[in-house]
Amino acid sequence: MRDSRPTGPPLESNVVFPAPAPPPALPRTCAPALLGSFYAACVVGSLLVYGLWQERIMSQPYGDADNDGNGDIFTFSILLVFFTRVVGLGFALLMVVVTREPLYCQAPLWKYLLVSVPTVVASICQFEALRYVSFTMQILGKSFKTVLLMLALRSCMGKQYKILDWMVAFGVTGGVVWYMVAGPLNPEHHAGNPLWGLGLLSSFIVLDGFSSLLQDKLLAEYRNTKYNQLFHNNATSAVLSLGIWLLCGKAQESLEFCKTHPAVYMDASIMSVSAMIAQWFIHVQVQDFGRLAFAATFNLRQIVSVLASYLVYRHAISGPQIAGLSIVFAVLVFQSFAGWMYTQDEQRPLLTRADTKAPQSGGSRTAILLKRSGLGACLPCAGGRDREAV
């Protein structure tokens, strides 16, 4: 019997469904801008947390306030240095394992110790300065050294600078001096005369620069791998800071303070972790986008950190001091925009992906990168401090 149903191929085989339209792609010029903005936001954000928590530990009271509104102030900066070195040591060890770098000393151990001495002392000076001068003064003080360094290099080595460089240096210096003379420099819960803080801050700047030069020389001389050097710098710095802490005679007192106020451990952990995150993103940003991108990010970080400090901790500020800060901020913004306009070489990445995998010859590329970017003594967790960023 003949089947009367309609014949033909199955319906499913005759239907052709259109392929879904691909999502619109971002313009090729958009992706680098988004990535660069992401790096800059991570650097600024992590360094913002680092600065706020550094100020919180060293200048804000712990515990219940007394009749005068004062609480217990953390005064054991060497313990904080030791803590950050231990955290940095763990980070460096992890990165050595992940990147499969050698763990043995690539340079004589005494040279790592030679680097650690000014590094640890500079860290102590940096933390102690916050007991006498405000966090804003510490941030501005690091910019104040620029004109002095330029004058020294011009007179001693004949180094030439553009007119724009001198304008920026003297503009920032003028704004800083205005801020200093227009109002108080010490924090609300200060330990004494702010001149002590300025002396400690000056010592930090000098020792920090010296330790950076030593680290750069160590990298170039022995061609150390990055995380290997960070590991041994942190190891020697941890041992040195531990020895100073035990010999200073306040080990028991500092432990009692931390036992009474366990929040110190959390605050120190947040500060150290944010420092590690900042270091990694600074390295990646300089590698992919060059020194000029980092310089602009650093300028933005200064502005954001100062404003955040006043907003979070509600510091008092006078009208003339606001004018001085406005001068500094305006000059830093001008420097960033002018730099992008006339400087093309510094907009290129310092290292390409191929360069990072290529055999090194004629000097360590890591040393060149760290020397150009100021990462040789980047942050407390990295065996030093970022002499520019922190």
Side-chain angles (χ1 to χ4, degrees), residues 7-21:
T7 61
L11 181 62
E12 290 81 357
S13 63
N14 292 332
V15 178
V16 179
F17 294 97

Side-chain angles (χ1 to χ4, degrees), residues 43 348 377:
V43 171
R348 303 192 186 102

Side-chain angles (χ1 to χ4, degrees), residues 35-245:
L35 185 61
S37 300
F38 173 73
Y39 287 161
C42 291
V43 171
V44 173
S46 54
L47 289 178
L48 173 63
V49 174
Y50 171 78
L52 288 176
W53 259 260
Q54 177 184 346
E55 183 178 8
R56 191 268 172 277
I57 295 172
M58 294 304 304
S59 62
Q60 299 299 312
Y62 284 90
D64 298 330
D66 56 19
N67 295 332
D68 297 329
N70 299 320
D72 296 332
I73 301 295
F74 183 84
T75 60
F76 313 100
S77 56
I78 184 59
L79 179 59
L80 189 60
V81 173
F82 172 67
F83 186 89
T84 55
R85 293 302 180 269
V86 171
V87 174
L89 183 62
F91 168 72
L93 179 60
L94 175 64
M95 295 307 298
V96 166
V97 174
V98 171
T99 58
R100 297 182 179 181
E101 292 185 2
L103 192 59
Y104 61 86
C105 286
Q106 296 178 322
L109 186 60
W110 68 269
K111 290 194 175 183
Y112 290 113
L113 184 61
L114 185 64
V115 172
S116 297
V117 171
T119 296
V120 170
V121 177
S123 294
I124 296 173
C125 292
Q126 180 188 25
F127 290 133
E128 282 292 317
L130 287 175
R131 298 179 57 206
Y132 298 91
V133 296
S134 65
F135 176 74
T136 300
M137 189 61 244
Q138 186 186 82
I139 291 289
L140 297 180
K142 296 175 183 179
S143 301
F144 184 78
K145 68 180 181 180
T146 303
V147 67
L148 300 178
L149 181 61
M150 291 174 62
L151 289 172
L153 293 177
R154 179 69 178 86
S155 59
C156 298
M157 303 178 62
K159 185 173 176 60
Q160 300 293 326
Y161 293 97
K162 297 181 177 66
I163 296 297
L164 178 62
D165 297 329
W166 290 110
M167 291 173 58
V168 169
F170 280 104
V172 171
T173 301
V176 173
V177 173
W178 190 332
Y179 176 86
M180 292 173 62
V181 301
L185 302 180
N186 45 14
E188 289 84 353
H189 307 281
H190 60 88
N193 194 322
L195 291 178
W196 283 104
L198 294 177
L200 290 168
L201 185 58
S202 300
S203 300
F204 159 71
I205 292 173
V206 173
L207 291 171
D208 180 72
F210 181 64
S211 65
S212 300
L213 292 175
L214 290 178
Q215 291 193 57
D216 291 340
K217 183 178 180 181
L218 199 61
L219 279 168
E221 184 177 357
Y222 293 95
R223 300 185 182 181
N224 299 344
T225 53
K226 176 185 176 183
Y227 295 111
N228 176 277
Q229 173 148 326
L230 293 183
F231 174 80
H232 290 288
N233 282 343
N234 276 290
T236 53
S237 296
V239 172
L240 180 61
S241 56
L242 176 61
I244 297 175
W245 177 55

Side-chain angles (χ1 to χ4, degrees), residues 189-321:
H189 307 281
H190 60 88
N193 194 322
L195 291 178
W196 283 104
L198 294 177
L200 290 168
L201 185 58
S202 300
S203 300
F204 159 71
I205 292 173
V206 173
L207 291 171
D208 180 72
F210 181 64
S211 65
S212 300
L213 292 175
L214 290 178
Q215 291 193 57
D216 291 340
K217 183 178 180 181
L218 199 61
L219 279 168
E221 184 177 357
Y222 293 95
R223 300 185 182 181
N224 299 344
T225 53
K226 176 185 176 183
Y227 295 111
N228 176 277
Q229 173 148 326
L230 293 183
F231 174 80
H232 290 288
N233 282 343
N234 276 290
T236 53
S237 296
V239 172
L240 180 61
S241 56
L242 176 61
I244 297 175
W245 177 55
L246 294 175
L247 293 174
C248 70
K250 294 187 177 182
Q252 184 65 31
E253 184 181 353
S254 60
L255 291 178
E256 288 294 333
F257 185 97
C258 295
K259 182 179 179 181
T260 306
H261 306 291
V264 174
Y265 294 116
M266 179 60 69
D267 292 337
S269 299
I270 293 174
M271 186 190 72
S272 299
V273 171
S274 63
M276 290 188 293
I277 295 174
Q279 185 207 14
W280 191 85
F281 277 106
I282 289 172
H283 173 78
V284 174
Q285 184 189 43
V286 174
Q287 175 178 301
D288 290 350
F289 293 94
R291 289 170 289 164
L292 194 60
F294 172 68
T297 302
F298 170 60
N299 290 345
L300 177 62
R301 180 259 173 168
Q302 288 182 291
I303 297 173
V304 172
S305 295
V306 169
L307 294 178
S309 176
Y310 277 105
L311 292 175
V312 172
Y313 298 114
R314 300 180 181 180
H315 299 312
I317 185 172
S318 64
Q321 282 185 313

